[in-house]
Amino acid sequence: MMNTNAKILTTASLFVLVFVFGCAEKPANSNTASQPSSEVVEENPAMEGFNVKGSDEQAIDIADQVMKAMGGRQAWDKAHYLVWDFFGGRRLYWDKWNGDVRIEFLKNDTKILLNIHDLKGKVFKDGQELSHPDSLSHYLNRGKNIWINDSYWLVMPFKLKDSGVTLTYSREDTLGNGKKADVLALTFEEVGVTPQNKYEVFVDKEDKLIKQWAFFRNADQDSANFIRPWDNYQSFDGLLLSGNRSDNGGPTDVHLLDSLPATAFTSFDPVDLKQLD
């Protein structure tokens, strides 16, 4: 299954991931002056709805180490705009604070501009803006599903303690390079559109970075539908993101930006990233 880039690109919408992203709002402390506090602030608090009781302490501890190795929760919350290509077929622009998303199909003229929270937006297809309510609703919902899928291929390591997730320690295993890894299993309950899925992530014991992941269409399967590398990390001001992976799959041409023109999410006109990097 999914043995070629072409297969994954044409079926990516069938593998819509189960996550409701909880970090799409601007960090509460982003415009707040620093003041002394007697409160102890947890470094990587779980999202509301994370299954703490069903998860185990060892897995949660490793997830926190992953967040730290990736640059830390504070850096993740401060990250504002993410831009990337997905398998050479789509380009996505995501305002992580406000939930605005722009999706450009790179092999035709389709563009979807939407807000993932209220599903308001507009669509350009076949040379014109769609106006029929049913067609517009169809493509806006499709756009959200595309964003759920494509963004997870980019930011999964930051989502180990998301709403609806149960996180457990599975086993110790060996990576392809011979290094030892801790394997965490993620299962889901009453969240998203495919809660029957399961994922395994392979965390390098030395640097605490995820180096491999496995997808199970159904949690009770004995074998994975795919096992793929999660490598070639790049630092963006200390925040690590994995793109241009060794299997030529997933996100490429990744950007983390402090600003994007507001028209990126309101106009179908092209966005010139060269002026922003």
Side-chain angles (χ1 to χ4, degrees), residues 198-209:
K198 182 178 81 169
Y199 297 87
E200 288 186 342
V201 296
F202 294 68
V203 181
D204 190 311
K205 280 182 170 289
E206 293 182 6
D207 61 19
K208 305 303 179 184
L209 293 174

Side-chain angles (χ1 to χ4, degrees), residues 16-25 47-48 73 76 82 84 92 94-99 101 116-117 144-165 188 191-192 230:
V16 174
L17 303 176
V18 302
F19 295 86
V20 177
F21 279 57
C23 292
E25 298 180 359
M47 298 304 299
E48 183 177 356
R73 178 61 176 269
W76 169 240
L82 287 165
W84 71 101
L92 291 92
W94 174 24
D95 180 343
K96 193 167 72 71
W97 291 1
N98 298 314
V101 174
I116 57 171
H117 301 310
K144 182 172 181 178
N145 287 344
I146 287 171
W147 167 78
I148 291 172
N149 182 79
D150 296 7
S151 60
Y152 199 70
W153 282 72
L154 177 66
V155 301
M156 174 268 292
F158 301 102
K159 316 303 291 181
L160 301 181
K161 294 166 66 176
D162 261 11
S163 300
V165 174
F188 314 95
V191 61
W230 195 287

Side-chain angles (χ1 to χ4, degrees), residues 134-273:
D134 289 345
S135 296
L136 185 59
S137 176
H138 169 77
Y139 280 99
L140 291 176
N141 277 283
R142 183 185 176 194
K144 182 172 181 178
N145 287 344
I146 287 171
W147 167 78
I148 291 172
N149 182 79
D150 296 7
S151 60
Y152 199 70
W153 282 72
L154 177 66
V155 301
M156 174 268 292
F158 301 102
K159 316 303 291 181
L160 301 181
K161 294 166 66 176
D162 261 11
S163 300
V165 174
T166 300
L167 186 67
T168 55
Y169 187 89
S170 177
R171 64 190 181 279
E172 183 181 286
D173 211 325
T174 304
L175 297 168
N177 59 9
K179 290 187 175 182
K180 297 295 184 181
D182 291 309
V183 183
L184 308 184
L186 293 85
T187 53
F188 314 95
E189 183 177 359
E190 297 181 359
V191 61
V193 294
T194 54
Q196 74 277 10
N197 292 166
K198 182 178 81 169
Y199 297 87
E200 288 186 342
V201 296
F202 294 68
V203 181
D204 190 311
K205 280 182 170 289
E206 293 182 6
D207 61 19
K208 305 303 179 184
L209 293 174
I210 292 172
K211 299 295 178 63
Q212 183 173 282
W213 66 320
F215 166 75
F216 299 75
R217 188 185 296 274
N218 293 292
D220 58 359
Q221 288 180 203
D222 293 329
S223 58
N225 294 93
F226 71 67
I227 302 175
R228 304 183 68 95
W230 195 287
D231 55 10
N232 291 345
Y233 283 92
Q234 182 179 354
S235 177
F236 296 86
D237 293 328
L239 190 74
L240 299 186
L241 295 169
S242 164
N244 302 318
R245 294 172 190 159
S246 58
D247 65 345
N248 297 315
T252 58
D253 197 19
V254 178
H255 304 261
L256 176 60
L257 303 172
D258 293 326
S259 64
L260 272 177
T263 53
F265 304 105
T266 60
S267 170
F268 298 124
D269 292 340
V271 179
D272 186 1
L273 289 180

